[in-house]
Every structure is written in structure tokens, then in C-alpha cells.
Amino acid sequence: MELREIVTRTERIWIADGIVHCVVLPTATHTLEDAHENSRAVDELAEGRRLPMLLDTRASRGLDREARLYYVRPEAAERLAALAMLIDSQIGRMFGSFYTNVHRPPFPLRLFNSEGDALVWLKEQVV
């Protein structure tokens, strides 16, 4: 089966083995418009399924406040079973911890340095 992916201004998105993969591109800060576009792309690929997501933020330039709030709105839990966020620095860990503690996502979220560990955890979340 051919892998289908969607590339937006800020992310490369595809589904493999029942997991949504999003790789943040090294572009400008994500805006609310980008958040809407990325969410539409995930919805299109997921075809109504509620799936776990691996989000590789290692090239991220950040999110503006409106985009952060949009990604953790209560309705996000209707589409997202769990979120594993890949980070590669202490600053990324601080940002991720702040994000999860302040905004309280409506789905399980963990930060990882290893893609393998993140995938194992995501598979455990979907039982």
C-alpha cells in the first residue's frame, strides 16, 4: 500500500501502523491558521478514526498562543487517543512540560527523546 502524506506550511503528516506521524518543519512559528490546516490534514488522513499521534517537534520554532490553545481544546480528544512528543533538548523538555501543565491537554501526553520509546508508549495507549 502506498504511503499517503500531506505537507502543510509547518508539518509533514502521514499515518503508519495506525499512528499519525507529524514532523514539524523548520519554518516560522505556528499560527492559528497553521493549526487549522494541520488538523484538517490529520482529519483527512485519519478518515474519522481516533488515533494516537507521534509529534516530532525537534525542528519547531514554536507556536503562538492561539495555536497552542487550539491544539488542546476539548474537541481534540475526539480525534486524538494520545500524543507522544519528540524533543531533543532541555529547552524542548521545559517547553513541553510547561505546555502540558498549563494547558492540560484532554488526552494522554508524554515527552520523549527516543522515537522507539515513544512508539512503544503510543501502542500501549490504544488497547
Side-chain angles (χ1 to χ4, degrees), residues 29-79:
T29 300
H30 281 215
T31 64
L32 180 58
E33 184 178 321
D34 295 318
H36 283 279
E37 181 181 23
N38 294 333
S39 293
R40 282 191 302 269
V42 169
D43 289 347
E44 182 180 329
L45 292 170
E47 299 176 328
R49 297 173 290 169
R50 185 172 175 259
L51 298 173
M53 178 184 288
L54 176 64
L55 177 63
D56 185 343
T57 66
R58 294 176 288 189
S60 177
R61 301 277 195 263
L63 306 159
D64 68 21
R65 183 178 189 282
E66 291 80 17
R68 282 193 307 272
L69 293 174
Y70 180 80
Y71 282 129
V72 296
R73 71 199 187 290
E75 298 83 10
E78 296 170 8
R79 299 184 183 106

Side-chain angles (χ1 to χ4, degrees), residues 17-32:
D17 298 323
I19 296 173
V20 178
H21 294 254
C22 299
V23 176
V24 177
L25 302 174
T27 57
T29 300
H30 281 215
T31 64
L32 180 58

Side-chain angles (χ1 to χ4, degrees), residues 62-104:
L63 306 159
D64 68 21
R65 183 178 189 282
E66 291 80 17
R68 282 193 307 272
L69 293 174
Y70 180 80
Y71 282 129
V72 296
R73 71 199 187 290
E75 298 83 10
E78 296 170 8
R79 299 184 183 106
L80 196 57
L83 176 64
M85 192 179 298
L86 280 178
I87 56 170
D88 67 351
S89 68
Q90 193 59 30
I91 292 172
R93 182 161 297 283
M94 287 176 15
F95 171 75
S97 295
F98 173 79
Y99 184 71
T100 57
N101 290 328
V102 171
H103 296 296
R104 302 276 184 210

